[in-house]
Amino acid sequence: RNVVVLRLRVTPSVTEQIGVSSLTVQAFGTADDSALVAPYGIKLHHDINDDGLIDADVDTILARASGFPNDNGSTTLLLGGKVVTAAESWILSYDLAGTQPHGATFAVTIASDGILAVGLNSGFPMSPTGVFPIVGPTGTISQLATLRLDAGSSNPQDSREHRHAQNLVMLQFRLAASNVETVLVTRVTVAGDGTGDEAVDVACVHLRRDNNGDGVYEPSVDDTLRYVGSRSFVQDDGTVSFDFAVPETIAAGTSQYWLVVYHLALSVGPLPGSTFRAMLRSADYVAATGKASRAPVTVEAVFPIQGGWKTITQAGVDRFELGQNLPNPFNPTTVIPFTLDRSSAVDLTVY
């Protein structure tokens, strides 16, 4: 559902606002367009936040069309004089019917006479300007799932951190499953980089599901992913692999945000000025299969996907702080972080 087939920008004249009455699109490709789209599955959306994505909670549907009357045919979406007072982004999408064979292709185009509009003051027809025809990207029907990876919208930027920092978010990345089938993620590998020695300076690394997508690790909100055991680097600039005892599920057509979280060593900690960064270097850093097909999933991304540089400072704290223990729940061990405003003997009692 909501497969994007065309994005376009509509800008009114500098002299008057416009009313758009209809938009006609022409289909082409090897797929049978008359059977490709589900009934009333051709939709024109107003991309209100201008992010190039269809956000059901934000964007609005301007018009629908029932389908194409024949293969490589055309259809018209009626907008009823949609008033455009300033530049707007529109997205044309398909709800696919699931009838086409693997490898079939589809796309749409808009000719210069495919947009009918009038000036709201003059009432005269407005001839659109721009580069015509407007051609959307070619889509290909696949019976195998894909998993798209990219840096999250709240991926951490460069920052300075205390040498004993805990719950330090190093990377936020998004995993988006295609519409073909649900994806089961079985392994994720994270690489370290920087002048600090991860094998000594990083006590442990965790992977969390960022449920609200804010890029902040919140134990009461975010989920602990079900990987086996605690993870740490065994060499400088090495890797840490998370193998899931129960595969993590990403439903078809949905996405999730995940966080890579460091806990710096509490005994000594990295030297001031040390730098750290976490990343996914290549497609083989994520292993996944299709839930229905059981076939390996193709991972698509522009690599590396990486967080900002974390530079360690000498700055201390001015009060006692007790942090969240991780992992929690635990068996048989856990790490309980705390900081002191001065050197002191400490008794820690666990009830």
Side-chain angles (χ1 to χ4, degrees):
R1 299 178 62 84
N2 287 334
V3 178
V4 175
V5 293
L6 185 71
R7 297 180 177 89
L8 66 154
R9 187 82 168 167
V10 181
T11 304
S13 166
V14 296
T15 58
E16 64 177 325
Q17 300 169 357
I18 60 172
V20 182
S21 57
S22 66
L23 178 71
T24 299
V25 296
Q26 175 80 40
F28 66 95
T30 63
D32 182 353
D33 300 291
S34 64
L36 171 70
V37 184
Y40 289 93
I42 303 174
K43 294 175 286 186
L44 184 65
H45 308 257
H46 180 190
D47 184 13
I48 292 176
N49 57 7
D50 201 22
D51 63 354
L53 304 174
I54 297 173
D55 305 302
D57 296 335
V58 178
D59 302 332
T60 58
I61 297 178
L62 300 176
R64 291 177 180 262
S66 59
F68 293 101
N70 53 278
D71 186 25
N72 293 336
S74 63
T75 192
T76 298
L77 297 103
L78 302 177
L79 285 90
K82 166 71 168 72
V83 175
V84 181
T85 61
E88 295 183 4
S89 293
W90 294 358
I91 300 176
L92 185 71
S93 74
Y94 284 177
D95 289 344
L96 299 180
T99 60
Q100 300 303 292
H102 180 76
T105 61
F106 58 92
V108 297
T109 182
I110 300 174
S112 59
D113 59 357
I115 302 175
L116 297 184
V118 297
L120 293 182
N121 295 329
S122 66
F124 294 145
M126 304 288 288
S127 298
T129 59
V131 179
F132 288 94
I134 302 171
V135 181
T138 298
T140 303
I141 299 296
S142 174
Q143 296 174 350
L144 301 177
T146 59
L147 183 64
R148 177 72 188 178
L149 303 181
D150 51 37
S153 56
S154 298
N155 190 36
Q157 304 300 307
D158 294 353
S159 64
R160 301 178 68 81
E161 304 292 342
H162 184 262
R163 64 188 304 188
H164 297 307
Q166 306 297 297
N167 292 333
L168 182 58
V169 176
M170 300 296 296
L171 173 66
Q172 183 201 55
F173 61 100
R174 186 177 71 101
L175 306 92
S178 64
N179 294 311
V180 176
E181 64 175 327
T182 294
V183 170
L184 304 177
V185 181
T186 57
R187 190 191 74 250
V188 171
T189 300
V190 175
D193 190 18
T195 62
D197 186 344
E198 287 85 3
V200 176
D201 298 332
V202 180
C204 55
V205 185
H206 294 283
L207 203 56
R208 303 289 189 245
R209 182 182 290 108
D210 187 7
N211 285 322
N212 58 12
D214 63 357
V216 179
Y217 173 51
E218 302 160 293
S220 62
V221 176
D222 301 329
D223 294 335
T224 299
L225 300 177
R226 297 166 292 182
Y227 51 86
V228 180
S230 181
R231 292 290 177 263
S232 58
F233 291 98
V234 297
Q235 66 182 44
D236 184 27
D237 294 342
T239 60
V240 174
S241 289
F242 299 88
D243 296 293
F244 298 109
V246 178
E248 293 294 333
T249 301
I250 302 178
T254 68
S255 63
Q256 297 180 12
Y257 289 99
W258 290 8
L259 301 174
V260 176
V261 181
Y262 278 11
H263 294 273
L264 301 183
L266 295 174
S267 56
V268 178
L271 294 174
S274 299
T275 58
F276 298 90
R277 182 171 62 183
M279 67 180 70
L280 308 178
R281 292 188 186 275
S282 61
D284 59 4
Y285 272 50
V286 176
T289 60
K291 183 176 181 179
S293 66
R294 299 295 179 184
V297 166
T298 299
V299 176
E300 300 177 340
V302 176
F303 292 101
I305 300 171
Q306 57 196 18
W309 286 107
K310 303 299 180 184
T311 302
I312 303 303
T313 68
Q314 181 65 53
V317 295
D318 58 4
R319 66 186 185 277
F320 169 75
E321 294 179 345
L322 178 64
Q324 171 69 48
N325 70 298
L326 288 171
N328 181 31
F330 63 93
N331 181 16
T333 63
T334 189
V335 174
I336 305 175
F338 61 91
T339 56
L340 304 175
D341 59 348
R342 62 186 181 277
S343 298
S344 175
V346 174
D347 289 328
L348 182 64
T349 303
V350 178
Y351 294 94

